[in-house]
Amino acid sequence: MATQTVQTITRKYSDLDLNFIAHPVTKDISTLVNETAVIRSLRNLILTGFYERPFHPEIGSGVKQSLFENATPVTAQVLRQSIQEVITNFEPRVKVKDIIVEMTPDQNQFQVILSFYIQNQTQPTTVTFFLQRAR
């Protein structure tokens, strides 16, 4: 009787820590792995404007420009669509489950709740962050 063994291949995602903090033991630049690396990558993509990356003017979301508009439901929808588009186009490691953009008109800021699945994971990851313009 033949037995079959099933191997699951899990992929490890890693990125450099852009804070450039030295690892305490190796004294090398620290790395971010798996979920933390993907979250940092998403944050960088969302906050990158068009023409900010050398030799890649197409990478960007236009979110920063939308923050200078009045906090209205239309602006919240534009932000949601911009975030969805940049993630779909430039982050193949994730599949977006839901994006909720809530506005706070008094502070002229937006709260973004982003739920997504990382490739080869069954549990969704949820990240909450605030978007507000720099003065």
Side-chain angles (χ1 to χ4, degrees):
M1 180 162 132
T3 59
Q4 213 175 36
T5 59
V6 178
Q7 283 184 322
T8 57
I9 299 172
T10 57
R11 182 173 250 181
K12 180 180 176 184
Y13 300 116
S14 64
D15 287 333
L16 290 176
D17 187 2
L18 296 180
N19 292 330
F20 297 109
I21 299 172
H23 189 274
V25 176
T26 63
K27 304 296 185 205
D28 198 5
I29 296 175
S30 298
T31 58
L32 302 174
V33 293
N34 295 332
E35 188 175 290
T36 310
V38 173
I39 291 171
R40 179 69 59 97
S41 174
L42 287 173
R43 189 194 73 172
N44 288 340
L45 276 174
I46 291 169
L47 295 178
T48 298
F50 293 109
Y51 299 98
E52 283 185 8
R53 293 199 182 176
F55 308 108
H56 290 286
E58 74 280 0
I59 297 177
S61 66
V63 167
K64 289 182 185 177
Q65 291 81 3
S66 297
L67 295 176
F68 285 92
E69 301 292 330
N70 289 330
T72 64
V74 173
T75 308
Q77 183 63 23
V78 168
L79 285 171
R80 185 187 177 291
Q81 289 174 347
S82 297
I83 292 169
Q84 174 73 42
E85 185 177 311
V86 76
I87 292 172
T88 302
N89 291 338
F90 299 110
E91 186 53 83
R93 300 180 286 188
V94 301
K95 180 182 175 206
V96 176
K97 177 182 175 192
D98 193 19
I99 301 172
I100 300 170
V101 179
E102 298 173 347
M103 62 179 183
T104 310
D106 293 338
Q107 286 96 16
N108 203 20
Q109 69 181 3
F110 295 89
Q111 178 182 9
V112 178
I113 303 168
L114 177 62
S115 296
F116 58 91
Y117 292 99
I118 299 175
Q119 200 172 41
N120 298 329
Q121 288 188 2
T122 57
Q123 296 291 357
T125 303
T126 303
V127 178
T128 303
F129 55 92
F130 289 93
L131 297 173
Q132 68 182 54
R133 64 183 179 167
R135 298 183 189 255

